Amino acid sequence: MKIALVGYGKMGKTIEQIALSRGHEIVSIIDINNPEDFQSDAFKSADVAIEFTTPATAFNNYMKCFEAGVPVVSGTTGWLDRLDEVKQICEKEGKTFFYASNFSVGVNIFFALNKYLAKIMNNFPSYDVRMTEVHHIHKLDAPSGTAITLAEGVIENLDRKDRWTLETAEKPTDLPIHAIREGEVPGIHEIIYESEADTISIKHDAKSRAGFALGAVIAAEFTAGKKGFLGMNDLFHF
Ligand SMILES: NC(=O)C1=CN([C@@H]2O[C@H](COP(=O)(O)OP(=O)(O)OC[C@H]3O[C@@H](n4cnc5c(N)ncnc54)[C@H](OP(=O)(O)O)[C@@H]3O)[C@@H](O)[C@H]2O)C=CC1
Ligand SMILES: O=C(O)C1=N[C@H](C(=O)O)C[C@H](O)C1
């Protein structure tokens, strides 16, 4: 498969290695310095573009990929205020877009576990819930996209919580997310339920970026040749 990379930072470079090891060809690499390459024949020849850039640049990159007729797989976080626009473009204009706040298989199992635990906790009101996420110091957004997905999983399934907040809960129905930035941590997410008697927590700790990158390449293999707005629930069935 012919892959174009949009964003050649920590994720772009890890994805390149994994894509090559799975027999794919990288036909174009677009970083901040060569946006004109979106119009190149090499970019347009790609079966799919894998986009990992920044919260501020992702949406514009999607539009450039759509104009070039190249399906997009993206994991960039912090731009989801424009998610509905992207969904509408896919629907009305027949474009292809695959999004996941976290491509790791382990995290997607963890998402399912989080929802199951939240449902159980409806019967146990003595437990309050909070979340902690830890990432490297270069990360631009807080809370992480993964923490937001986890928080949405709790809010959809636990009747006593109705929104997430960063750091402090303002009312009992808030789910607070504590975001820590330290060293070169690839990503840790923990959901903690605490009562007077004890603490129950579930935690995902990424050992490197390899799991995120492998998931993105598997999603790209799945996306090539498909139409519409796609996500991890189309790829894995939990
Ligand atoms: N969904 C998932 O599974 C995962 C998501 N992420 C998310 O992916 C994103 C990228 O992460 P990461 O690779 O670690 O970040 P990096 O900062 O290492 O890489 C981002 C790259 O994008 C480049 N860039 C900036 N602006 C543009 C532009 N307009 N067009 C093309 N490239 C551009 C940057 O260039 P320069 O440095 O020159 O500015 C940099 O090389 C983040 O939002 C992160 O949260 C990360 C890991 C997993
Ligand atoms: O910026 C990162 O590094 C990561 N970002 C994603 C997020 O915001 O959830 C996924 C992963 O945690 C690594």
Side-chain angles (χ1 to χ4, degrees), residues 5-13 30-35 38 51-58 60-61 74-79 99-104 135-136 138-141 144-146 186 209 211-213 216:
L5 296 177
V6 182
Y8 198 50
K10 293 181 283 300
M11 281 302 293
K13 290 185 176 115
I30 298 184
D31 214 329
I32 197 159
N33 301 313
N34 59 330
F38 279 113
E51 201 273 1
F52 280 77
T53 62
T54 68
T57 56
N60 190 42
N61 288 335
S74 178
T76 304
T77 51
W79 63 273
Y99 184 71
S101 64
N102 199 308
F103 280 96
S104 143
H135 283 87
H136 52 92
H138 317 285
K139 187 159 177 59
L140 297 177
D141 52 324
S144 68
T146 307
R209 292 186 175 81
F212 310 138

Side-chain angles (χ1 to χ4, degrees), residues 110 113-114 117-118 121 127-132 150 154 188-195 197-205:
F110 188 64
L113 188 60
N114 170 53
L117 182 56
M121 286 298 179
Y127 287 86
D128 202 4
V129 58
R130 64 184 188 276
M131 199 182 298
T132 299
L150 286 163
V154 172
I188 301 172
H189 294 89
E190 186 170 15
I191 299 124
I192 305 142
Y193 288 86
E194 189 167 354
S195 73
D198 54 17
T199 303
I200 302 168
S201 74
I202 56 171
K203 180 174 175 182
H204 180 275
D205 187 349

